[in-house]
Amino acid sequence: LHMGGINMPEIKYCRDCKKLFQYVTGPVLCHVCRKRDEEEFEKVRKFLREYPGANMQEVSSNTGVSPAKISRWLKEERLEVSEDSPVALNCEKCGVRIRSGRFCVECSKGLAKEMMDVGRDLKQSLSKAGERKFDRDFDKDEFGLYYKHKDQK
């Protein structure tokens, strides 16, 4: 919610504990779960610094952090799979092996282009719709200037 350029907190359910909380930005986690999430992330990060070739199960069993949460951090690009890691992370669009995120560079570029094209097309169609309304309400003189129809007040 926005009010005069200020973000107003929303009420949401925490993704982990399912309790209601005032959400402003970032992961949909309450204060308690966000703090625990950051502590767990730090455990995983420290473990991976010591054992960079560890697989998902080794990381999980040594840190107590679920593989699902570790996978989420990989997709959020907070963690990255090392070159020689046995952990396989694949592009969700083409399936090629990637080190972090959800899409490979090529698919990311393609998706970005598609989004830009859709945005441009939408802007053009809205512009044309606005011009048609503008043309109905105004007349154009020989100098290209617009003025209201005489019958409008």
Side-chain angles (χ1 to χ4, degrees):
L1 297 173
H2 297 285
M3 185 172 192
I6 300 170
N7 283 338
M8 299 297 293
E10 297 177 56
I11 303 299
K12 291 193 174 192
Y13 286 98
C14 174
R15 178 177 62 208
D16 286 357
C17 71
K18 311 299 184 227
K19 290 182 183 174
L20 284 172
F21 74 103
Q22 281 191 333
Y23 171 80
V24 179
T25 186
V28 184
L29 295 170
C30 68
H31 176 71
V32 173
C33 292
R34 187 180 291 214
K35 185 175 185 220
R36 185 179 61 242
D37 196 62
E38 287 305 314
E39 289 168 356
E40 289 177 338
F41 177 78
E42 199 54 36
K43 271 191 214 175
V44 169
R45 195 176 65 77
K46 284 179 181 175
F47 182 81
L48 287 171
R49 279 217 171 115
E50 276 188 59
Y51 306 97
N55 66 34
M56 182 81 72
Q57 198 54 49
E58 290 169 334
V59 174
S60 179
S61 62
N62 283 284
T63 61
V65 178
S66 74
K69 195 170 271 194
I70 296 167
S71 292
R72 177 169 53 89
W73 291 330
L74 285 164
K75 287 182 179 186
E76 292 172 351
E77 297 184 351
R78 292 184 71 193
L79 292 175
E80 190 173 276
V81 176
S82 62
E83 291 286 337
D84 57 342
S85 173
V87 176
L89 190 60
N90 299 318
C91 173
E92 292 181 15
K93 189 165 186 208
C94 72
V96 71
R97 187 179 167 105
I98 56 177
R99 295 181 63 190
S100 69
R102 297 177 52 206
F103 304 101
C104 67
V105 173
E106 290 304 312
C107 289
S108 291
K109 286 179 184 176
L111 289 167
K113 184 186 178 319
E114 285 177 37
M115 289 172 58
M116 294 291 284
D117 291 347
V118 167
R120 185 192 65 244
D121 293 347
L122 179 61
K123 186 177 178 183
Q124 286 175 348
S125 67
L126 290 173
S127 176
K128 285 178 184 171
E131 285 173 13
R132 283 193 298 273
K133 181 179 180 350
F134 190 78
D135 287 344
R136 279 196 314 264
D137 295 341
F138 293 87
D139 282 326
K140 192 178 195 182
D141 67 14
E142 66 271 16
F143 303 107
L145 300 173
Y146 288 92
Y147 57 94
K148 277 195 166 203
H149 292 292
K150 293 178 181 129
D151 57 343
Q152 290 184 349
K153 296 191 175 33

